[in-house]
mmCIF file of all heavy atoms in Angstrom:
data_model
loop_
_atom_site.group_PDB
_atom_site.id
_atom_site.type_symbol
_atom_site.label_atom_id
_atom_site.label_comp_id
_atom_site.label_asym_id
_atom_site.label_seq_id
_atom_site.Cartn_x
_atom_site.Cartn_y
_atom_site.Cartn_z
ATOM 1 N N GLU A 1 14.330 -10.275 7.794
ATOM 2 C CA GLU A 1 14.119 -8.860 7.502
ATOM 3 C C GLU A 1 14.667 -7.921 8.564
ATOM 4 O O GLU A 1 15.224 -6.875 8.256
ATOM 5 C CB GLU A 1 12.618 -8.609 7.326
ATOM 6 C CG GLU A 1 12.304 -7.174 6.980
ATOM 7 C CD GLU A 1 10.838 -6.858 7.159
ATOM 8 O OE1 GLU A 1 10.107 -7.697 7.680
ATOM 9 O OE2 GLU A 1 10.448 -5.742 6.776
ATOM 10 N N ILE A 2 14.514 -8.239 9.851
ATOM 11 C CA ILE A 2 14.813 -7.303 10.920
ATOM 12 C C ILE A 2 16.069 -7.729 11.668
ATOM 13 O O ILE A 2 16.187 -8.868 12.119
ATOM 14 C CB ILE A 2 13.629 -7.216 11.916
ATOM 15 C CG1 ILE A 2 12.365 -6.766 11.190
ATOM 16 C CG2 ILE A 2 13.959 -6.248 13.031
ATOM 17 C CD1 ILE A 2 12.445 -5.400 10.575
ATOM 18 N N ASP A 3 17.015 -6.811 11.775
ATOM 19 C CA ASP A 3 18.171 -7.013 12.632
ATOM 20 C C ASP A 3 18.491 -5.671 13.288
ATOM 21 O O ASP A 3 17.779 -4.681 13.099
ATOM 22 C CB ASP A 3 19.365 -7.569 11.845
ATOM 23 C CG ASP A 3 19.771 -6.678 10.670
ATOM 24 O OD1 ASP A 3 19.348 -5.489 10.637
ATOM 25 O OD2 ASP A 3 20.488 -7.156 9.787
ATOM 26 N N TRP A 4 19.578 -5.631 14.069
ATOM 27 C CA TRP A 4 19.904 -4.416 14.808
ATOM 28 C C TRP A 4 20.185 -3.250 13.862
ATOM 29 O O TRP A 4 19.796 -2.117 14.130
ATOM 30 C CB TRP A 4 21.085 -4.680 15.718
ATOM 31 C CG TRP A 4 21.531 -3.490 16.510
ATOM 32 C CD1 TRP A 4 22.729 -2.854 16.455
ATOM 33 C CD2 TRP A 4 20.754 -2.774 17.482
ATOM 34 N NE1 TRP A 4 22.760 -1.796 17.331
ATOM 35 C CE2 TRP A 4 21.558 -1.722 17.981
ATOM 36 C CE3 TRP A 4 19.459 -2.931 17.993
ATOM 37 C CZ2 TRP A 4 21.109 -0.835 18.941
ATOM 38 C CZ3 TRP A 4 19.014 -2.037 18.959
ATOM 39 C CH2 TRP A 4 19.834 -1.001 19.422
ATOM 40 N N ASP A 5 20.885 -3.511 12.756
ATOM 41 C CA ASP A 5 21.185 -2.451 11.793
ATOM 42 C C ASP A 5 19.910 -1.874 11.183
ATOM 43 O O ASP A 5 19.825 -0.664 10.943
ATOM 44 C CB ASP A 5 22.097 -2.981 10.688
ATOM 45 C CG ASP A 5 23.525 -3.208 11.169
ATOM 46 O OD1 ASP A 5 23.909 -2.584 12.177
ATOM 47 O OD2 ASP A 5 24.242 -4.022 10.548
ATOM 48 N N THR A 6 18.934 -2.747 10.934
ATOM 49 C CA THR A 6 17.656 -2.273 10.384
ATOM 50 C C THR A 6 16.957 -1.359 11.374
ATOM 51 O O THR A 6 16.441 -0.291 10.999
ATOM 52 C CB THR A 6 16.737 -3.464 10.047
ATOM 53 O OG1 THR A 6 17.392 -4.313 9.106
ATOM 54 C CG2 THR A 6 15.421 -2.975 9.442
ATOM 55 N N LEU A 7 16.937 -1.746 12.645
ATOM 56 C CA LEU A 7 16.285 -0.920 13.665
ATOM 57 C C LEU A 7 16.985 0.426 13.813
ATOM 58 O O LEU A 7 16.327 1.468 13.954
ATOM 59 C CB LEU A 7 16.269 -1.661 15.000
ATOM 60 C CG LEU A 7 15.416 -2.942 15.049
ATOM 61 C CD1 LEU A 7 15.549 -3.617 16.406
ATOM 62 C CD2 LEU A 7 13.959 -2.641 14.740
ATOM 63 N N LYS A 8 18.320 0.431 13.769
ATOM 64 C CA LYS A 8 19.050 1.700 13.835
ATOM 65 C C LYS A 8 18.738 2.554 12.610
ATOM 66 O O LYS A 8 18.590 3.789 12.720
ATOM 67 C CB LYS A 8 20.556 1.433 13.927
ATOM 68 C CG LYS A 8 21.018 0.938 15.276
ATOM 69 C CD LYS A 8 22.528 1.069 15.434
ATOM 70 C CE LYS A 8 23.267 0.227 14.404
ATOM 71 N NZ LYS A 8 24.744 0.297 14.609
ATOM 72 N N GLY A 9 18.649 1.901 11.449
ATOM 73 C CA GLY A 9 18.323 2.637 10.226
ATOM 74 C C GLY A 9 16.958 3.298 10.307
ATOM 75 O O GLY A 9 16.770 4.428 9.842
ATOM 76 N N ILE A 10 15.991 2.593 10.916
ATOM 77 C CA ILE A 10 14.651 3.162 11.087
ATOM 78 C C ILE A 10 14.703 4.380 12.020
ATOM 79 O O ILE A 10 14.103 5.419 11.738
ATOM 80 C CB ILE A 10 13.681 2.101 11.641
ATOM 81 C CG1 ILE A 10 13.462 0.982 10.619
ATOM 82 C CG2 ILE A 10 12.337 2.747 12.020
ATOM 83 C CD1 ILE A 10 12.632 -0.176 11.146
ATOM 84 N N TRP A 11 15.435 4.227 13.138
ATOM 85 C CA TRP A 11 15.472 5.309 14.129
ATOM 86 C C TRP A 11 16.103 6.582 13.564
ATOM 87 O O TRP A 11 15.656 7.691 13.857
ATOM 88 C CB TRP A 11 16.210 4.849 15.375
ATOM 89 C CG TRP A 11 16.173 5.876 16.469
ATOM 90 C CD1 TRP A 11 17.173 6.671 16.911
ATOM 91 C CD2 TRP A 11 15.011 6.243 17.232
ATOM 92 N NE1 TRP A 11 16.741 7.508 17.917
ATOM 93 C CE2 TRP A 11 15.409 7.261 18.134
ATOM 94 C CE3 TRP A 11 13.690 5.796 17.254
ATOM 95 C CZ2 TRP A 11 14.524 7.839 19.026
ATOM 96 C CZ3 TRP A 11 12.809 6.376 18.152
ATOM 97 C CH2 TRP A 11 13.222 7.386 19.020
ATOM 98 N N TYR A 12 17.141 6.417 12.749
ATOM 99 C CA TYR A 12 17.846 7.583 12.211
ATOM 100 C C TYR A 12 17.353 7.985 10.818
ATOM 101 O O TYR A 12 17.926 8.889 10.203
ATOM 102 C CB TYR A 12 19.354 7.302 12.160
ATOM 103 C CG TYR A 12 19.984 7.266 13.532
ATOM 104 C CD1 TYR A 12 20.402 6.057 14.092
ATOM 105 C CD2 TYR A 12 20.147 8.423 14.282
ATOM 106 C CE1 TYR A 12 20.964 6.009 15.359
ATOM 107 C CE2 TYR A 12 20.711 8.394 15.544
ATOM 108 C CZ TYR A 12 21.114 7.185 16.076
ATOM 109 O OH TYR A 12 21.664 7.158 17.331
ATOM 110 N N TYR A 13 16.298 7.354 10.342
ATOM 111 C CA TYR A 13 15.741 7.679 9.026
ATOM 112 C C TYR A 13 15.375 9.163 8.894
ATOM 113 O O TYR A 13 15.672 9.782 7.867
ATOM 114 C CB TYR A 13 14.516 6.796 8.765
ATOM 115 C CG TYR A 13 13.955 6.889 7.359
ATOM 116 C CD1 TYR A 13 14.334 5.986 6.378
ATOM 117 C CD2 TYR A 13 13.014 7.852 7.021
ATOM 118 C CE1 TYR A 13 13.816 6.048 5.091
ATOM 119 C CE2 TYR A 13 12.495 7.933 5.742
ATOM 120 C CZ TYR A 13 12.890 7.026 4.784
ATOM 121 O OH TYR A 13 12.377 7.103 3.513
ATOM 122 N N PRO A 14 14.738 9.772 9.902
ATOM 123 C CA PRO A 14 14.384 11.200 9.776
ATOM 124 C C PRO A 14 15.581 12.116 9.562
ATOM 125 O O PRO A 14 15.468 13.137 8.871
ATOM 126 C CB PRO A 14 13.676 11.509 11.100
ATOM 127 C CG PRO A 14 13.165 10.194 11.576
ATOM 128 C CD PRO A 14 14.199 9.195 11.149
ATOM 129 N N GLN A 15 16.722 11.770 10.145
ATOM 130 C CA GLN A 15 17.909 12.610 9.983
ATOM 131 C C GLN A 15 18.704 12.246 8.736
ATOM 132 O O GLN A 15 19.219 13.131 8.046
ATOM 133 C CB GLN A 15 18.834 12.463 11.209
ATOM 134 C CG GLN A 15 18.284 13.032 12.490
ATOM 135 C CD GLN A 15 17.381 12.038 13.231
ATOM 136 O OE1 GLN A 15 17.291 10.879 12.856
ATOM 137 N NE2 GLN A 15 16.725 12.519 14.272
ATOM 138 N N ALA A 16 18.798 10.952 8.428
ATOM 139 C CA ALA A 16 19.700 10.494 7.374
ATOM 140 C C ALA A 16 19.052 10.434 5.995
ATOM 141 O O ALA A 16 19.704 10.704 4.992
ATOM 142 C CB ALA A 16 20.253 9.107 7.734
ATOM 143 N N VAL A 17 17.771 10.071 5.935
ATOM 144 C CA VAL A 17 17.135 9.794 4.634
ATOM 145 C C VAL A 17 16.016 10.784 4.306
ATOM 146 O O VAL A 17 15.869 11.200 3.153
ATOM 147 C CB VAL A 17 16.572 8.349 4.595
ATOM 148 C CG1 VAL A 17 15.986 8.042 3.217
ATOM 149 C CG2 VAL A 17 17.661 7.340 4.943
ATOM 150 N N ARG A 18 15.241 11.163 5.310
ATOM 151 C CA ARG A 18 14.087 12.036 5.072
ATOM 152 C C ARG A 18 14.430 13.296 4.282
ATOM 153 O O ARG A 18 13.706 13.651 3.336
ATOM 154 C CB ARG A 18 13.431 12.403 6.401
ATOM 155 C CG ARG A 18 12.199 13.274 6.275
ATOM 156 C CD ARG A 18 11.577 13.537 7.645
ATOM 157 N NE ARG A 18 10.370 14.333 7.544
ATOM 158 C CZ ARG A 18 10.352 15.675 7.601
ATOM 159 N NH1 ARG A 18 11.501 16.343 7.752
ATOM 160 N NH2 ARG A 18 9.204 16.325 7.507
ATOM 161 N N PRO A 19 15.510 14.033 4.631
ATOM 162 C CA PRO A 19 15.827 15.238 3.850
ATOM 163 C C PRO A 19 16.090 14.935 2.371
ATOM 164 O O PRO A 19 15.746 15.746 1.505
ATOM 165 C CB PRO A 19 17.091 15.772 4.538
ATOM 166 C CG PRO A 19 17.038 15.216 5.920
ATOM 167 C CD PRO A 19 16.433 13.863 5.766
ATOM 168 N N LEU A 20 16.676 13.773 2.099
ATOM 169 C CA LEU A 20 16.949 13.391 0.712
ATOM 170 C C LEU A 20 15.652 13.099 -0.033
ATOM 171 O O LEU A 20 15.490 13.465 -1.201
ATOM 172 C CB LEU A 20 17.866 12.165 0.673
ATOM 173 C CG LEU A 20 19.211 12.305 1.404
ATOM 174 C CD1 LEU A 20 19.993 10.999 1.326
ATOM 175 C CD2 LEU A 20 20.022 13.441 0.797
ATOM 176 N N VAL A 21 14.713 12.428 0.647
ATOM 177 C CA VAL A 21 13.414 12.132 0.039
ATOM 178 C C VAL A 21 12.677 13.422 -0.296
ATOM 179 O O VAL A 21 12.163 13.602 -1.408
ATOM 180 C CB VAL A 21 12.554 11.261 0.982
ATOM 181 C CG1 VAL A 21 11.138 11.099 0.409
ATOM 182 C CG2 VAL A 21 13.189 9.895 1.185
ATOM 183 N N LEU A 22 12.618 14.335 0.665
ATOM 184 C CA LEU A 22 11.913 15.599 0.441
ATOM 185 C C LEU A 22 12.572 16.402 -0.673
ATOM 186 O O LEU A 22 11.888 17.063 -1.469
ATOM 187 C CB LEU A 22 11.879 16.411 1.739
ATOM 188 C CG LEU A 22 11.059 15.804 2.889
ATOM 189 C CD1 LEU A 22 11.191 16.654 4.142
ATOM 190 C CD2 LEU A 22 9.591 15.656 2.491
ATOM 191 N N GLY A 23 13.894 16.330 -0.752
ATOM 192 C CA GLY A 23 14.594 17.026 -1.823
ATOM 193 C C GLY A 23 14.233 16.479 -3.187
ATOM 194 O O GLY A 23 13.999 17.246 -4.137
ATOM 195 N N LYS A 24 14.160 15.161 -3.300
ATOM 196 C CA LYS A 24 13.771 14.541 -4.567
ATOM 197 C C LYS A 24 12.318 14.855 -4.921
ATOM 198 O O LYS A 24 11.978 15.075 -6.091
ATOM 199 C CB LYS A 24 13.964 13.029 -4.496
ATOM 200 C CG LYS A 24 15.404 12.581 -4.572
ATOM 201 C CD LYS A 24 16.025 12.943 -5.908
ATOM 202 C CE LYS A 24 17.473 12.530 -5.991
ATOM 203 N NZ LYS A 24 18.113 12.976 -7.253
ATOM 204 N N MET A 25 11.452 14.903 -3.920
ATOM 205 C CA MET A 25 10.046 15.203 -4.173
ATOM 206 C C MET A 25 9.886 16.635 -4.667
ATOM 207 O O MET A 25 9.072 16.912 -5.555
ATOM 208 C CB MET A 25 9.207 14.938 -2.919
ATOM 209 C CG MET A 25 9.222 13.489 -2.493
ATOM 210 S SD MET A 25 8.083 13.106 -1.140
ATOM 211 C CE MET A 25 6.590 12.749 -2.046
ATOM 212 N N ARG A 26 10.674 17.542 -4.107
ATOM 213 C CA ARG A 26 10.648 18.920 -4.602
ATOM 214 C C ARG A 26 11.186 18.992 -6.030
ATOM 215 O O ARG A 26 10.652 19.722 -6.875
ATOM 216 C CB ARG A 26 11.464 19.825 -3.674
ATOM 217 C CG ARG A 26 10.744 20.242 -2.404
ATOM 218 C CD ARG A 26 11.501 21.330 -1.671
ATOM 219 N NE ARG A 26 12.734 20.812 -1.094
ATOM 220 C CZ ARG A 26 12.832 20.325 0.140
ATOM 221 N NH1 ARG A 26 11.762 20.292 0.932
ATOM 222 N NH2 ARG A 26 13.977 19.890 0.612
ATOM 223 N N GLN A 27 12.231 18.224 -6.281
ATOM 224 C CA GLN A 27 12.853 18.229 -7.608
ATOM 225 C C GLN A 27 11.904 17.740 -8.694
ATOM 226 O O GLN A 27 11.893 18.271 -9.811
ATOM 227 C CB GLN A 27 14.105 17.349 -7.585
ATOM 228 C CG GLN A 27 14.840 17.278 -8.919
ATOM 229 C CD GLN A 27 16.051 16.364 -8.855
ATOM 230 O OE1 GLN A 27 16.508 15.977 -7.767
ATOM 231 N NE2 GLN A 27 16.594 16.012 -10.010
ATOM 232 N N TYR A 28 11.067 16.747 -8.348
ATOM 233 C CA TYR A 28 10.210 16.115 -9.347
ATOM 234 C C TYR A 28 8.726 16.431 -9.151
ATOM 235 O O TYR A 28 7.871 15.753 -9.721
ATOM 236 C CB TYR A 28 10.414 14.601 -9.324
ATOM 237 C CG TYR A 28 11.752 14.164 -9.863
ATOM 238 C CD1 TYR A 28 12.803 13.835 -9.000
ATOM 239 C CD2 TYR A 28 11.982 14.090 -11.226
ATOM 240 C CE1 TYR A 28 14.036 13.441 -9.486
ATOM 241 C CE2 TYR A 28 13.209 13.687 -11.729
ATOM 242 C CZ TYR A 28 14.232 13.364 -10.856
ATOM 243 O OH TYR A 28 15.457 12.977 -11.353
ATOM 244 N N GLN A 29 8.390 17.463 -8.388
ATOM 245 C CA GLN A 29 6.987 17.712 -8.090
ATOM 246 C C GLN A 29 6.193 18.260 -9.275
ATOM 247 O O GLN A 29 4.964 18.115 -9.329
ATOM 248 C CB GLN A 29 6.870 18.685 -6.920
ATOM 249 C CG GLN A 29 7.392 20.086 -7.195
ATOM 250 C CD GLN A 29 7.243 20.991 -5.988
ATOM 251 O OE1 GLN A 29 6.261 20.899 -5.247
ATOM 252 N NE2 GLN A 29 8.207 21.857 -5.751
ATOM 253 N N GLU A 30 6.860 18.876 -10.247
ATOM 254 C CA GLU A 30 6.147 19.452 -11.378
ATOM 255 C C GLU A 30 5.445 18.359 -12.186
ATOM 256 O O GLU A 30 6.042 17.339 -12.530
ATOM 257 C CB GLU A 30 7.113 20.217 -12.273
ATOM 258 C CG GLU A 30 6.416 20.983 -13.386
ATOM 259 C CD GLU A 30 7.371 21.850 -14.188
ATOM 260 O OE1 GLU A 30 8.581 21.880 -13.842
ATOM 261 O OE2 GLU A 30 6.930 22.483 -15.147
ATOM 262 N N ASN A 31 4.162 18.584 -12.467
ATOM 263 C CA ASN A 31 3.340 17.662 -13.258
ATOM 264 C C ASN A 31 3.153 16.304 -12.584
ATOM 265 O O ASN A 31 2.865 15.306 -13.252
ATOM 266 C CB ASN A 31 3.926 17.456 -14.657
ATOM 267 C CG ASN A 31 3.982 18.747 -15.460
ATOM 268 O OD1 ASN A 31 3.083 19.568 -15.380
ATOM 269 N ND2 ASN A 31 5.059 18.929 -16.206
ATOM 270 N N ARG A 32 3.309 16.272 -11.269
ATOM 271 C CA ARG A 32 3.084 15.035 -10.524
ATOM 272 C C ARG A 32 2.261 15.330 -9.282
ATOM 273 O O ARG A 32 2.290 16.437 -8.766
ATOM 274 C CB ARG A 32 4.419 14.393 -10.110
ATOM 275 C CG ARG A 32 5.210 13.822 -11.267
ATOM 276 C CD ARG A 32 6.571 13.316 -10.807
ATOM 277 N NE ARG A 32 7.316 12.733 -11.916
ATOM 278 C CZ ARG A 32 8.035 13.435 -12.776
ATOM 279 N NH1 ARG A 32 8.127 14.747 -12.649
ATOM 280 N NH2 ARG A 32 8.675 12.830 -13.766
ATOM 281 N N GLN A 33 1.532 14.332 -8.826
ATOM 282 C CA GLN A 33 0.834 14.449 -7.552
ATOM 283 C C GLN A 33 1.820 14.095 -6.440
ATOM 284 O O GLN A 33 2.433 13.031 -6.471
ATOM 285 C CB GLN A 33 -0.355 13.491 -7.510
ATOM 286 C CG GLN A 33 -1.386 13.766 -8.608
ATOM 287 C CD GLN A 33 -2.555 12.825 -8.495
ATOM 288 O OE1 GLN A 33 -3.334 12.911 -7.547
ATOM 289 N NE2 GLN A 33 -2.690 11.919 -9.451
ATOM 290 N N VAL A 34 1.979 14.985 -5.498
ATOM 291 C CA VAL A 34 2.900 14.783 -4.390
ATOM 292 C C VAL A 34 2.091 14.712 -3.098
ATOM 293 O O VAL A 34 1.413 15.675 -2.722
ATOM 294 C CB VAL A 34 3.938 15.915 -4.315
ATOM 295 C CG1 VAL A 34 4.826 15.741 -3.090
ATOM 296 C CG2 VAL A 34 4.776 15.951 -5.588
ATOM 297 N N LEU A 35 2.177 13.581 -2.412
ATOM 298 C CA LEU A 35 1.378 13.352 -1.205
ATOM 299 C C LEU A 35 2.303 12.964 -0.059
ATOM 300 O O LEU A 35 3.093 12.029 -0.181
ATOM 301 C CB LEU A 35 0.362 12.235 -1.442
ATOM 302 C CG LEU A 35 -0.592 12.436 -2.630
ATOM 303 C CD1 LEU A 35 -1.344 11.165 -2.932
ATOM 304 C CD2 LEU A 35 -1.561 13.564 -2.336
ATOM 305 N N ILE A 36 2.199 13.697 1.042
ATOM 306 C CA ILE A 36 3.002 13.410 2.227
ATOM 307 C C ILE A 36 2.054 13.182 3.400
ATOM 308 O O ILE A 36 1.244 14.053 3.729
ATOM 309 C CB ILE A 36 3.971 14.563 2.546
ATOM 310 C CG1 ILE A 36 4.915 14.803 1.362
ATOM 311 C CG2 ILE A 36 4.775 14.252 3.809
ATOM 312 C CD1 ILE A 36 5.811 16.012 1.537
ATOM 313 N N PHE A 37 2.164 12.013 4.018
ATOM 314 C CA PHE A 37 1.306 11.676 5.154
ATOM 315 C C PHE A 37 2.176 11.469 6.386
ATOM 316 O O PHE A 37 3.137 10.694 6.354
ATOM 317 C CB PHE A 37 0.509 10.400 4.859
ATOM 318 C CG PHE A 37 -0.427 10.537 3.688
ATOM 319 C CD1 PHE A 37 -0.065 10.048 2.444
ATOM 320 C CD2 PHE A 37 -1.649 11.177 3.831
ATOM 321 C CE1 PHE A 37 -0.918 10.177 1.350
ATOM 322 C CE2 PHE A 37 -2.505 11.314 2.745
ATOM 323 C CZ PHE A 37 -2.134 10.811 1.506
ATOM 324 N N ARG A 38 1.834 12.160 7.457
ATOM 325 C CA ARG A 38 2.629 12.080 8.684
ATOM 326 C C ARG A 38 1.986 11.197 9.747
ATOM 327 O O ARG A 38 2.610 10.928 10.770
ATOM 328 C CB ARG A 38 2.890 13.493 9.218
ATOM 329 C CG ARG A 38 3.779 14.294 8.284
ATOM 330 C CD ARG A 38 4.157 15.663 8.815
ATOM 331 N NE ARG A 38 5.161 16.289 7.957
ATOM 332 C CZ ARG A 38 4.885 16.972 6.847
ATOM 333 N NH1 ARG A 38 3.621 17.132 6.483
ATOM 334 N NH2 ARG A 38 5.842 17.486 6.111
ATOM 335 N N LYS A 39 0.740 10.787 9.510
ATOM 336 C CA LYS A 39 0.060 9.880 10.423
ATOM 337 C C LYS A 39 -0.718 8.847 9.609
ATOM 338 O O LYS A 39 -1.279 9.187 8.565
ATOM 339 C CB LYS A 39 -0.909 10.644 11.332
ATOM 340 C CG LYS A 39 -0.233 11.624 12.280
ATOM 341 C CD LYS A 39 -1.271 12.323 13.147
ATOM 342 C CE LYS A 39 -0.613 13.307 14.111
ATOM 343 N NZ LYS A 39 -1.616 13.997 14.947
ATOM 344 N N PRO A 40 -0.773 7.599 10.074
ATOM 345 C CA PRO A 40 -1.550 6.578 9.361
ATOM 346 C C PRO A 40 -3.014 6.978 9.183
ATOM 347 O O PRO A 40 -3.631 6.631 8.173
ATOM 348 C CB PRO A 40 -1.418 5.349 10.266
ATOM 349 C CG PRO A 40 -0.146 5.559 11.011
ATOM 350 C CD PRO A 40 -0.054 7.043 11.236
ATOM 351 N N GLN A 41 -3.554 7.730 10.153
ATOM 352 C CA GLN A 41 -4.958 8.130 10.055
ATOM 353 C C GLN A 41 -5.193 9.037 8.838
ATOM 354 O O GLN A 41 -6.242 8.976 8.205
ATOM 355 C CB GLN A 41 -5.397 8.854 11.339
ATOM 356 C CG GLN A 41 -5.352 7.986 12.590
ATOM 357 C CD GLN A 41 -4.006 8.047 13.287
ATOM 358 O OE1 GLN A 41 -2.975 8.288 12.652
ATOM 359 N NE2 GLN A 41 -4.014 7.821 14.601
ATOM 360 N N GLU A 42 -4.218 9.894 8.538
ATOM 361 C CA GLU A 42 -4.339 10.766 7.362
ATOM 362 C C GLU A 42 -4.387 9.943 6.083
ATOM 363 O O GLU A 42 -5.194 10.198 5.184
ATOM 364 C CB GLU A 42 -3.155 11.731 7.301
ATOM 365 C CG GLU A 42 -3.077 12.710 8.452
ATOM 366 C CD GLU A 42 -1.827 13.570 8.403
ATOM 367 O OE1 GLU A 42 -0.932 13.277 7.583
ATOM 368 O OE2 GLU A 42 -1.747 14.539 9.181
ATOM 369 N N LEU A 43 -3.517 8.945 6.015
ATOM 370 C CA LEU A 43 -3.477 8.103 4.821
ATOM 371 C C LEU A 43 -4.756 7.291 4.673
ATOM 372 O O LEU A 43 -5.299 7.166 3.571
ATOM 373 C CB LEU A 43 -2.260 7.180 4.892
ATOM 374 C CG LEU A 43 -2.107 6.187 3.746
ATOM 375 C CD1 LEU A 43 -2.027 6.897 2.397
ATOM 376 C CD2 LEU A 43 -0.881 5.307 3.955
ATOM 377 N N GLN A 44 -5.240 6.728 5.772
ATOM 378 C CA GLN A 44 -6.463 5.926 5.698
ATOM 379 C C GLN A 44 -7.657 6.779 5.293
ATOM 380 O O GLN A 44 -8.539 6.318 4.554
ATOM 381 C CB GLN A 44 -6.727 5.242 7.045
ATOM 382 C CG GLN A 44 -5.779 4.079 7.335
ATOM 383 C CD GLN A 44 -5.803 3.015 6.251
ATOM 384 O OE1 GLN A 44 -6.861 2.669 5.723
ATOM 385 N NE2 GLN A 44 -4.629 2.501 5.904
#
């Protein structure tokens, strides 16, 4: 599962993927529950 490319992908996820995720969530938020958790404690 884990290699150097995976670790780099995790580190740059906020810049490379996060904006795309938030964009899709905004696009599909109507008639759906949208939940964003920034800390594990919030989710628990």
Side-chain angles (χ1 to χ4, degrees):
E1 182 195 8
I2 301 298
D3 57 16
W4 179 243
D5 287 338
T6 301
L7 294 177
K8 286 196 298 183
I10 294 174
W11 185 253
Y12 289 108
Y13 188 95
Q15 292 85 8
V17 183
R18 182 177 182 269
L20 303 178
V21 173
L22 294 176
K24 285 296 179 184
M25 297 187 88
R26 281 191 290 268
Q27 180 182 346
Y28 290 100
Q29 66 180 324
E30 187 174 358
N31 298 322
R32 290 175 178 83
Q33 300 182 69
V34 176
L35 304 168
I36 301 174
F37 298 100
R38 294 184 172 84
K39 295 180 180 180
Q41 296 90 332
E42 296 175 350
L43 177 58
Q44 287 304 320

